[in-house]
């Protein structure tokens, strides 16, 4: 089965381990419809051999709906959900990292609570990814202290809240988020750490198929953003869809996320808008999977 690993939705790990963190209405250009997407996850989990484990997050509604279809019973569940085998507790977002506890019963049915697992990443999705990594290590017999140390030392990957520059006490970041779940998670994490700072999202919609199928979800995911600058849609090879209207899309975001929006046509307009409107102590986050990274990094020279 073809698996897209870029968003961490599901991936195949060494030693016959599989991890499923979430199922979203994503990549429907490939799967054609949600039913096919759902079936691919069921097939993926059922392929986990008896010598391995399928590690599944219970926090996602769509995952919980498919549990009855999974024949493979060699699974481990995790998440904030109270029914999870590994329960995530006390998530705390710090300025440049996140800490959380992980509670579970060991093989002897003794309750274990691992406190203050630390990762240099923000957002609930990164907590879920870090938890899954810890669970894999724990089940492979890796020493708990070593697993915690490895997570703490992990510096993250490029385009995941990568800081680009600071100017006039304004901080500029570049992030790969191009799906509503990712965007919402990043913005909530940043807001929790910086509740008094203004957050400006520079969002590049990615693919007509994704934006059209998730229009309502996109319109609601910017609740923690004080302002949204919307760039032209990056088609990623798809043919133009005349049903998509960028102005209507921007207005829907403003309405449902209760924020302000503006559209820029190109990199120059983005730079000029920021020059005229930025004040101080603001956080600017470029989001998207197309050329937005180039635009945000180009601000080093234009601001």
């Amino acid at each position: 089965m073809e698996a897209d690993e870029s968003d961490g939705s599901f991936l195949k790990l060494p030693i016959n381990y599989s991890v499923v963190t979430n199922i979203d209405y994503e990549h429907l250009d490939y799967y054609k419809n949600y039913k096919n997407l759902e079936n691919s996850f069921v097939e993926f989990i059922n392929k986990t051999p008896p010598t391995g484990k399928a590690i599944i997050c219970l926090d996602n509604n769509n995952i919980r709906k498919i549990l009855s279809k999974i024949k493979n019973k060699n699974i481990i569940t995790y998440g904030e959900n109270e029914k999870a085998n590994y329960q995530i507790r006390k998530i705390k977002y710090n300025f440049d990292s996140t800490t959380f506890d992980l509670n579970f019963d060991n093989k002897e049915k003794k309750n274990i609570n691992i406190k203050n697992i630390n990762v240099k990443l923000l957002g609930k999705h990164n907590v879920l990814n870090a938890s899954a990594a810890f669970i894999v290590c724990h089940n492979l017999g890796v020493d708990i202290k070593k697993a915690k140390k490895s997570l703490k030392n992990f510096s993250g990957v490029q385009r995941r809240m990568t800081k680009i520059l600071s100017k006039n006490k304004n901080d500029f970041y570049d992030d790969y988020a191009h799906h509503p779940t990712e965007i919402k998670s990043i913005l909530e994490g940043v807001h929790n750490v910086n509740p008094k700072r203004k957050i400006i999202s520079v969002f590049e919609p990615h693919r007509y198929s994704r934006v059209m199928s998730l229009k309502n979800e996109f319109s609601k995911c910017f609740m923690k953003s004080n302002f949204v600058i919307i760039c032209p849609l990056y088609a990623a090879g798809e043919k133009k869809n005349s049903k998509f209207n960028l102005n209507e899309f921007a207005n829907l975001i403003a309405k449902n996320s209760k924020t302000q929006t503006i559209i820029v046509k190109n990199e120059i307009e983005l730079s000029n808008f920021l020059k005229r409107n930025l004040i101080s102590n603001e956080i600017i986050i470029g989001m998207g999977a197309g050329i937005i990274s180039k635009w945000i990094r180009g601000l080093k020279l234009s601001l």
Side-chain angles (χ1 to χ4, degrees):
M1 181 180 65
E2 181 173 339
D4 183 293
E5 300 183 4
S6 61
D7 59 1
S9 299
F10 62 90
L11 55 135
K12 193 70 175 177
L13 297 167
I15 327 296
N16 299 321
Y17 275 67
S18 303
V19 173
V20 180
T21 58
N22 66 296
I23 302 176
D24 283 319
Y25 288 77
E26 178 70 313
H27 299 297
L28 296 185
D29 55 317
Y30 175 81
Y31 291 104
K32 307 306 178 185
N33 57 62
Y34 178 75
K35 192 67 178 177
N36 290 339
L37 174 66
E38 185 181 78
N39 289 338
S40 72
F41 273 91
V42 173
E43 180 186 357
F44 177 74
I45 296 169
N46 282 332
K47 282 184 175 180
T48 304
T51 54
K53 298 283 187 183
I55 300 171
I56 301 173
C57 181
L58 287 186
D59 291 354
N60 184 268
N61 290 331
N62 293 328
I63 289 179
R64 292 197 298 272
K65 290 177 182 178
I66 69 167
L67 289 179
S68 61
K69 300 180 181 180
I70 298 173
K71 298 177 181 179
N72 185 348
K73 301 302 179 183
N74 197 18
I75 66 175
I76 297 172
T77 59
Y78 77 103
E80 290 186 280
N81 192 295
E82 293 181 355
K83 295 181 179 180
N85 300 130
Y86 286 76
Q87 188 179 2
I88 298 169
R89 297 177 177 175
K90 297 182 179 180
I91 298 175
K92 182 180 179 181
Y93 297 103
N94 307 299
F95 179 74
D96 58 356
S97 65
T98 304
T99 60
F100 62 94
D101 296 351
L102 204 57
N103 187 274
F104 58 93
D105 290 337
N106 63 12
K107 293 180 180 178
E108 290 74 34
K109 303 298 181 182
K110 180 181 178 180
N111 187 260
I112 305 294
N113 189 42
I114 309 300
K115 295 184 177 180
N116 297 319
I117 298 173
N118 183 281
V119 290
K120 297 174 183 177
L121 302 164
L122 291 178
K124 172 72 180 293
H125 62 300
N126 284 315
V127 171
L128 295 178
N129 289 339
S131 298
F134 182 93
I135 293 166
V136 171
C137 291
H138 181 250
N139 280 270
L140 290 175
V142 176
D143 179 75
I144 287 177
K145 290 183 179 180
K146 289 184 178 179
K148 283 184 67 176
K149 184 178 180 180
S150 295
L151 285 174
K152 187 175 183 178
N153 291 337
F154 178 61
S155 60
V157 296
Q158 283 294 310
R159 301 220 61 221
R160 288 300 187 188
M161 284 301 289
T162 301
K163 190 170 184 178
I164 304 303
L165 76 150
S166 292
K167 188 168 185 179
N168 299 327
K169 296 183 179 180
N170 295 319
D171 296 320
F172 296 77
Y173 294 87
D174 179 28
D175 197 273
Y176 187 68
H178 58 286
H179 186 279
T181 302
E182 296 172 326
I183 294 170
K184 181 180 178 182
S185 180
I186 284 294
L187 291 175
E188 286 181 347
V190 173
H191 173 76
N192 287 336
V193 177
N194 308 274
K196 295 183 178 180
R197 296 183 71 180
K198 183 177 181 180
I199 299 174
I200 299 173
S201 301
V202 185
F203 174 53
E204 177 189 51
H206 186 258
R207 291 185 180 274
Y208 288 101
S209 57
R210 177 181 290 112
V211 175
M212 294 294 288
S213 62
L214 296 171
K215 184 168 60 176
N216 288 331
E217 288 81 358
F218 273 115
S219 74
K220 299 173 184 176
C221 70
F222 291 95
M223 295 284 286
K224 298 299 183 182
S225 186
N226 302 94
F227 200 95
V228 184
I229 302 172
I230 301 177
C231 306
L233 183 143
Y234 188 79
E238 289 186 343
K239 293 182 179 180
K240 183 176 181 179
N241 190 328
S242 60
K243 294 181 179 180
F244 175 74
N245 185 292
L246 194 61
N247 288 313
E248 292 178 359
F249 184 58
N251 290 336
L252 193 63
I253 290 174
K255 177 183 176 181
N256 291 342
S257 284
K258 297 178 176 58
T259 187
Q260 292 180 289
T261 60
I262 189 172
I263 295 173
V264 295
K265 296 179 180 178
N266 50 51
E267 185 177 1
I268 295 173
E269 281 195 11
L270 172 62
S271 177
N272 289 339
F273 178 84
L274 293 175
K275 283 179 185 177
R276 293 193 303 267
N277 293 281
L278 289 183
I279 303 174
S280 181
N281 200 36
E282 298 174 330
I283 299 173
I284 301 90
I285 309 172
M287 299 178 176
I291 61 172
I292 187 62
S293 180
K294 175 179 175 293
W295 288 15
I296 293 297
R297 292 169 190 272
L299 295 173
K300 288 182 179 180
L301 301 176
S302 61
L303 289 183

